[in-house]
């Protein structure tokens, strides 16, 4: 049985102290928003009594805030940051004065939406509808890592409209995440007015239909809140506490006015409100503190957990092997999961979206079901849950097709990245190489999209050997990675009579592999590398010597490799949108130096067709024969 | 009352003909998948009886397929393309032999997932969970345009896990889209096995909770299907027909085997299956036809509807006006909607996600509620519904914040683009300019993401005058647009003593506006244009003459404007990720020509802070003073 801070009695002293703190917090909320001239007092004041009740009893304190076994508190409606900051500060997590004075001040960590660098904040939120997924990810990670803790998740009512909520609900029910207690701040107001006027909602029935136990309670009555939580902790279902609340609760002239969702009080109104709360108006003091703020970038650093991972560093697929990179990924993930069963290794969670047999995680599913997490056709949820799991005690993988693991969840990946998560996304079926499924399934924008995310690293290996090593590298290095590959079987890239990326090959991020030297460069990666070698062969027969540069890290290639080839055009050959792929990376790099290098693109110029990759490449003029011909013409 | 093809009696002749056609279709499905060596027979065979029932009675025929008043049939589980093609062909929409022979052949329109260029296909689907949104968009468009038709939407059961389904359900109930009849092919199998083993689902209760009327029926009994649809057409709620079906129905050895979700029969198995169906095995003939296929790109062209729009071409905000571009958008959309009330103009639908007062569509909401579509906090749904509406008789706008209208719905925008939709997305609150809401809300990747979408055009106007004209331009020109703007008030850009973009200014896509001439170029756009002018002023005082080039179409700037400045570095000043914004466009363009132009970037280099835009820009070294200093140092 997990540690449960609610296994006590609620006393009059509790009631008195909570009420007293709540009053102070309401003052903090009003002061910080007025001081900043922006922010969200309304929801902060309707949620604050719940925040205080949970922080008082849950097993999370300033002392254990880094402990793997602490309870987790997620706040999905991150715009209630004033409420969260005041609740955390009044529970000793940091200095309340600093939070009030610095709220929404450029360079401070007390940002407009809660961020993970603030002590006690588990997850950066703000884009609505994602917090419950993050809570599920932590709960799942705890289960896999063998840690017993409770997970609390606070949400707004308006955000229940987001579809991702439904995905998270089903996931929690499916996996029996009964240690989750979620709360909805049911103040019934959203920006445009009453939630039921804005959009049809039937919150209670939605949760019930999706397998949750729902308790309705007065969200401003500490004792009832406590009792509901305590009761819920014994229920063998995920529990929703639907807390009936009042927007801007506690200040008479603000209550139930939806305008206060995102509008602070004026100085005069603040004075009046603080008087009603019986609090001193000390905003002048905070104003002075605010002026004295000094920016310290180190406060914004996020800790990424170290992991311990083992895989076969001498793995080699021989030259006679013809397999797909997906299968090499399957081998790598299997080895990593298998080795993780040993003492001292980081436990692994492999998130799947109903594609295990295609993305080759099915062997893990079968042999290590505890490490395999079925998320259904619910990519938004899976991506966030995976991101959250990755900073909650497990090494997390998210395996999917390219369009689902990148395109469909672009914003979820962005928020994972902002969170400093360490999710290892592996997408099979990228590029035209996905073939017959057609344009809706052809992910030809993984570089163009992920180039926007400052922390992301992308690896597109050239063959099964490089795939295996790349997966190992991504697993053992902190941060968010995409390892991407196509669907087809690929020849093992050779270095004379042995594999190029076989025994003795260590993957280094950014390294450009010169697979053959020549008078000018063909830059390529992934499933096009083998084709580029074919181009070079064809050209060689005509006396033209092409170097083939395999750029398996196409967002961050080591540019030194290009230095000797810049007097001729650089030919870029890629199974990617040609405006946003490796060619764009190189154009950016050359422009930084003002290098007069012409880039000739052989990539995808429009939404393509449904057919075999070979046939499509031919139609697009991207088959090796046509490319060789074009290069010859360019050089003539 | 709308035209309802089901207002007839079901006769034994109907039954006999449907059964006969269904047998032929099952043969078609099996032949085309075996011929292609890939595809999805299982779901096609469980859905086919429903397809045939609807196409027999619904008011959609080869003759009226372009009529605005036709019934619409959407198929969300687009991988059942063999079923859809056979049903359409057997109802006369095109030649069945061609569809069978060309299925999944590179260059053919009979792609792996259904696509809109096929006669009778209303919407390209394949990424699951989007079809119901598209159906809602068409229904909404019909309501606004005053067309009375029924909308049928077929879906898979596995895809019910996607959160977007819940968004679409609520939207349909909220807006009383009672002309929607949706079907779920409830064969209970998805790729990983039984749907209830893969993910918790409670389809019936989910739909009921969200305001739908649910009818459960045998999905292979034509008469019961007919009766259910007929009954449903009278219900004053959106109706779900939960059709109990059998995967691969009709061929004994394939039934209920989930492997046939995505696996065709071998030649031998096909022979056996066709024998069981009592059909001739004429696959050899199809094989010959397939070999003779000739690619014709014109078959892939999509019609984009023309619109008739009116706005004030002489609109001008004077030099004394200080307003935000949002308000100029508000004026433009108001004028467009107001003028659309006149006879002969295209009706307008403005999709909102609970942000009308922030994105300034609130005046439309108030005065023209029939043209305003509240979609709640359900961006995925809103984006697809808007895309679908845009090709179903209305001019459709989707107004939102940047991170919600671009980042969160990137894949939905991608599929809109593949569909050749004509959605006008207008995002306010882009860039650091969104300020205090912090990094989760700072959309600094709208160019980096949308550059991947081949059909998209992006306009980021520099001031209120240009905003008004840009919105008008996007409205009246076919195709998908993003018009993006920040949150802050901006000075009107001047040309001497009059507005630069005022009376007499016509917006031209791609045009680069030389706001002042000089010895080298500062390229900029949007809210940075005014700051760039300030940089130029500062530099001028020091005897340095900077040209300021306003690139309001930063994905496609007319490069002629840069020709005279390429002997010096080009300085790019943008409120955007500096690796993926205008600087990246220019780097791409210069690399195409091998131009030795150095690009110096003043853009965003990492996730930023929460604070006033001015404060944040200062912290990032992007305030005009710092930029001027850096330029001076670079030129020295």
């Amino acid at each position: 049985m997990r540690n449960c801070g609610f296994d006590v009695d609620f006393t009059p002293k509790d009631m008195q102290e909570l009420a007293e703190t709540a009053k102070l917090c309401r003052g903090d909320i009003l002061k910080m928003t007025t001081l900043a001239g922006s922010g969200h007092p309304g929801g902060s004041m309707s949620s604050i009594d719940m925040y205080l009740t949970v922080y008082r009893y849950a097993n999370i304190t300033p002392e254990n805030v880094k402990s793997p076994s602490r309870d987790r508190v997620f706040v999905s409606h991150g715009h209630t940051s004033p409420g969260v900051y005041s609740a955390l500060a009044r529970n000793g997590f940091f200095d309340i004065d600093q939070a009030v004075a610095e709220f929404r001040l450029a360079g401070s960590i007390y940002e407009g939406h809660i961020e993970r660098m603030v002590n006690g904040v588990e997850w950066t939120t703000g884009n609505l509808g994602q917090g419950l997924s993050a809570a599920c990810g932590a709960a799942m990670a705890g289960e896999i890592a063998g840690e017993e803790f409770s997970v609390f998740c606070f949400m707004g009512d308006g955000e229940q409209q987001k579809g991702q909520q439904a995905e998270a609900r089903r996931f929690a029910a499916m996996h029996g995440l009964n240690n989750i207690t979620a709360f909805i701040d049911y103040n019934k107001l959203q920006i445009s007015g009453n939630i039921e006027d804005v959009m049809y909602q039937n919150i209670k029935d939605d949760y019930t239909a999706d397998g949750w136990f729902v308790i309705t309670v007065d969200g401003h009555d500490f004792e009832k809140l406590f009792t509901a939580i305590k009761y819920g902790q014994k229920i063998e279902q995920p529990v929703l506490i639907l807390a009936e609340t009042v927007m801007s609760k506690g200040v008479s002239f603000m209550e139930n006015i939806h305008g206060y969702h995102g509008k602070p009080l004026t100085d005069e109104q603040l004075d009046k409100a603080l008087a009603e709360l019986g609090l001193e108006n000390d905003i002048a003091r905070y104003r002075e503190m605010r002026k004295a703020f000094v920016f310290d970038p180190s406060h914004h650093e996020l800790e990424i957990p170290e992991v311990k991972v083992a895989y076969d560093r001498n793995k080699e697929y021989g030259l006679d092997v013809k397999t797909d990179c997906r299968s090499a990924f399957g081998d790598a993930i299997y080895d990593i999961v298998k080795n993780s069963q040993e003492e001292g290794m980081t436990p692994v969670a492999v998130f799947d979206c109903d594609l295990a047999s295609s993305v080759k995680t099915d062997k893990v599913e079968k042999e290590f079901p505890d490490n395999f997490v079925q998320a259904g056709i619910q990519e938004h949820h899976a991506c966030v849950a995976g991101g959250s799991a990755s900073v909650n005690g497990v090494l997390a993988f998210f395996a999917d097709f390219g369009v689902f693991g990148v395109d469909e969840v672009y914003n979820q990946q962005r928020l994972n990245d902002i969170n400093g998560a360490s999710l290892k996304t592996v997408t099979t079926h990228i590029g035209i190489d996905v073939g017959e499924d057609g344009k809706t399934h052809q992910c030809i924008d993984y570089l163009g999209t992920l180039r926007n995310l400052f922390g992301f690293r992308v690896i597109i290996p050239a063959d099964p050997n490089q795939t295996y090593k790349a997966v190992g590298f991504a697993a053992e290095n902190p941060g968010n990675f995409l390892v991407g590959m196509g669907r087809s079987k690929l020849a093992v890239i050779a270095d004379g009579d042995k594999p190029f990326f076989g025994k003795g090959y260590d993957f280094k991020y950014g390294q450009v592999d010169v697979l053959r030297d020549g008078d000018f460069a063909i830059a390529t990666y992934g499933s096009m590398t083998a084709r580029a070698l074919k181009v070079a062969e064809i050209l060689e027969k005509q006396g033209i010597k092409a170097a083939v540069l395999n750029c398996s890290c196409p967002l961050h290639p080591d540019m030194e490799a290009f230095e000797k080839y810049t007097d001729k055009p650089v030919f870029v050959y890629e199974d990617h949108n040609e405006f946003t792929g490796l060619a764009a990376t190189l154009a950016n790099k050359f422009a930084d130096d003002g290098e007069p290098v012409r880039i000739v693109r052989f990539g995808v110029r429009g939404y393509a067709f449904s057919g075999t990759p070979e046939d499509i490449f031919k139609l697009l003029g991207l088959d090796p024969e046509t490319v060789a011909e074009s290069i010859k013409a360019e050089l003539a």
Side-chain angles (χ1 to χ4, degrees), chain A:
Chain A
M1 187 62 193
R2 66 182 182 274
N3 182 337
C4 174
F6 288 83
D7 238 356
V8 295
D9 289 324
F10 188 86
T11 66
K13 182 166 167 273
D14 289 302
M15 179 63 108
Q16 195 195 336
E17 287 182 13
L18 278 166
E20 201 48 49
T21 312
K23 201 193 291 180
L24 292 174
C25 288
R26 289 196 161 84
D28 300 334
I29 291 164
L30 293 173
K31 287 179 214 167
M32 64 179 96
T33 47
T34 293
L35 204 57
S38 73
H40 300 83
S44 296
M45 291 164 80
S46 56
S47 285
I48 188 67
D49 298 327
M50 291 188 276
Y51 294 163
L52 291 175
T53 309
V54 165
Y55 281 117
R56 185 175 180 91
Y57 298 98
N59 180 30
I60 173 165
T61 62
E63 291 69 41
N64 80 351
V65 69
K66 300 283 170 211
S67 157
S69 63
R70 74 187 181 280
D71 286 351
R72 267 53 166 194
V73 180
F74 289 82
V75 180
S76 187
H77 52 328
H79 60 266
T80 63
S81 50
V84 177
Y85 299 150
S86 66
L88 283 169
R90 297 290 176 182
N91 278 282
F93 286 82
F94 46 82
D95 177 37
I96 183 63
D97 283 351
Q98 207 176 340
V100 172
E102 296 180 11
F103 180 61
R104 289 183 162 231
L105 184 59
S108 161
I109 59 171
Y110 301 107
E111 304 212 349
H113 292 79
I114 57 166
E115 305 236 358
R116 208 160 72 83
M117 60 267 195
V118 172
N119 201 28
V121 172
E122 296 286 356
W123 194 250
T124 298
T125 55
N127 290 195
L128 294 172
Q130 303 199 358
L132 189 58
S133 296
C136 287
M140 201 72 228
E143 196 172 305
I144 291 171
E147 297 287 352
E148 294 193 335
F149 51 77
S150 295
V151 179
F152 301 93
C153 180
F154 295 102
M155 303 179 284
D157 48 6
E159 70 174 318
Q160 300 306 314
Q161 293 160 10
K162 286 288 292 177
Q164 192 176 327
Q165 293 284 158
E167 300 183 354
R169 283 199 298 266
R170 277 189 288 265
F171 180 91
M174 176 78 189
H175 290 285
L177 301 178
N178 305 334
N179 58 336
I180 294 183
T181 307
F183 300 77
I184 292 177
D185 178 3
Y186 198 27
N187 63 30
K188 300 198 186 65
L189 294 175
Q190 62 186 105
I191 293 178
S192 304
N194 188 294
I195 59 164
E196 270 134 39
D197 297 336
V198 176
M199 183 47 58
Y200 185 97
Q201 286 222 84
N202 189 348
I203 293 175
K204 195 174 173 187
D205 285 2
D206 276 346
Y207 275 80
T208 306
D210 291 342
W212 285 57
F213 188 87
V214 181
I215 305 172
T216 303
V217 72
D218 176 349
H220 298 302
D221 183 321
F222 295 110
E223 185 164 9
K224 286 187 179 151
L225 274 170
F226 173 88
T227 308
I229 300 167
K230 184 172 177 173
Y231 181 79
Q233 296 256 321
K234 314 273 186 242
I235 304 282
E236 290 302 313
Q237 267 173 288
V239 170
L240 173 72
I241 295 183
L242 187 58
E244 311 250 13
T245 59
V246 173
M247 184 170 267
S248 319
K249 171 78 178 179
V251 174
S252 55
F253 65 89
M254 294 176 74
E255 286 186 3
N256 272 324
I257 294 176
H258 79 269
Y260 285 115
H261 165 86
K263 200 177 67 186
L265 298 181
T266 61
D267 276 334
E268 296 69 42
Q269 291 170 322
L270 176 69
D271 209 50
K272 200 173 142 198
L274 291 175
E276 186 178 328
L277 289 165
L279 298 172
E280 180 201 357
N281 187 349
D282 51 358
I283 197 160
R285 178 171 70 90
Y286 285 117
R287 230 162 231 143
E288 287 311 304
M289 283 183 71
R290 192 171 178 89
K291 277 187 206 149
F293 170 73
V294 181
F295 170 55
D296 182 341
S298 74
H299 294 168
H300 290 261
E301 281 162 19
L302 290 165
E303 250 176 75
I304 301 185
E306 299 265 316
V307 292
K308 235 183 135 197
V309 177
Y311 57 99
D312 179 1
R313 281 161 210 279
N314 285 314
K315 181 79 175 180
E316 180 169 293
Y317 300 91
L319 294 184
D320 53 328
V321 175
K322 190 151 183 173
T323 186
D324 41 30
C325 294
R326 299 186 277 162
S327 296
F329 161 60
D331 292 343
I333 189 79
Y334 177 80
D335 290 353
I336 289 168
V337 172
K338 190 173 179 207
N339 293 328
S340 78
Q341 312 296 319
E342 304 293 318
E343 188 67 32
M345 306 301 284
T346 307
V348 183
V350 181
F351 286 82
D352 170 58
C353 289
D354 188 30
L355 288 171
S357 55
S358 298
V359 302
K360 305 294 183 190
T361 52
D362 45 351
K363 214 172 143 196
V364 170
E365 179 181 17
K366 210 172 146 198
E367 291 191 37
F368 303 104
D370 290 350
N371 299 94
F372 180 86
V373 185
Q374 178 57 265
I377 308 177
Q378 307 189 142
E379 294 88 7
H380 295 117
H381 167 75
C383 184
V384 175
S388 167
S390 77
V391 291
N392 276 291
V394 299
L395 167 63
F397 280 86
F398 169 36
D400 212 327
F401 286 8
V403 289
F404 307 129
V406 178
D407 295 355
E408 176 75 354
V409 296
Y410 172 73
N411 198 40
Q412 283 67 22
Q413 295 282 21
R414 184 177 74 92
L415 289 157
N416 279 344
D417 204 43
I418 287 176
N419 265 289
S422 192
L423 181 63
K424 319 304 176 183
T425 301
V426 180
T427 56
T428 63
H429 296 69
I430 60 168
I432 297 295
D433 188 42
V434 72
E436 290 94 336
D437 276 341
K439 51 179 84 60
T440 60
H441 284 59
Q442 288 160 355
C443 179
I444 49 172
D445 50 6
Y446 45 91
L447 299 175
T449 48
L450 297 180
R451 184 181 288 114
N452 293 290
L453 306 185
F454 299 101
F456 243 93
R457 281 174 285 177
V458 177
I459 309 175
I460 315 292
D463 79 349
N465 281 313
Q466 198 175 29
T467 300
Y468 185 95
K469 302 290 173 68
V471 172
F473 180 90
E476 68 192 352
N477 283 278
N480 294 305
F481 277 87
L482 172 74
V483 183
M485 60 205 71
R487 184 179 181 278
S488 306
K489 291 194 170 157
L490 291 177
V492 167
I493 306 277
D495 182 12
D497 59 356
K498 61 178 190 19
F500 196 99
F501 303 110
K503 285 194 186 82
Y505 167 74
D506 261 350
F507 183 88
K508 285 190 191 68
Y509 188 79
Q511 184 173 294
V512 172
D513 314 301
V514 182
L515 299 184
R516 58 184 289 164
D517 204 355
D519 301 326
F520 66 92
I522 303 176
T524 189
Y525 57 96
S527 65
M528 293 316 239
T529 298
R531 290 187 176 87
L533 288 168
K534 202 159 171 206
V535 170
E537 270 171 41
I538 297 170
L539 289 171
E540 188 161 37
K541 283 185 194 141
Q542 304 173 52
I544 300 169
K545 289 196 64 164
V548 175
L549 274 55
N550 179 54
C551 305
S552 57
C553 305
L555 287 184
H556 307 106
D558 177 1
M559 293 303 289
E560 264 188 51
F562 286 88
E563 271 173 17
K564 54 188 279 204
Y565 305 109
T566 52
D567 58 332
K568 293 246 171 61
V570 170
F571 298 90
V572 181
Y573 189 19
E574 55 187 332
D575 185 6
H576 193 283
N577 181 320
E578 67 176 19
F579 306 110
T580 65
L582 174 61
T585 304
L586 297 179
N588 259 344
K589 298 272 188 189
F590 292 140
D592 281 343
D593 298 331
E595 287 250 34
V597 183
R598 192 155 71 87
I599 293 176
V600 180
R601 297 163 208 258
F602 298 103
V604 188
R605 265 158 247 177
Y607 300 113
F609 309 105
S610 161
T612 66
E614 297 311 323
D615 283 356
I616 301 174
F617 284 135
K618 233 174 248 164
L619 271 184
L620 301 180
L622 291 176
D623 57 302
E625 291 72 22
T626 308
V627 170
E629 227 167 88
S630 306
I631 290 178
K632 196 179 159 189
E634 283 287 346
L635 292 173

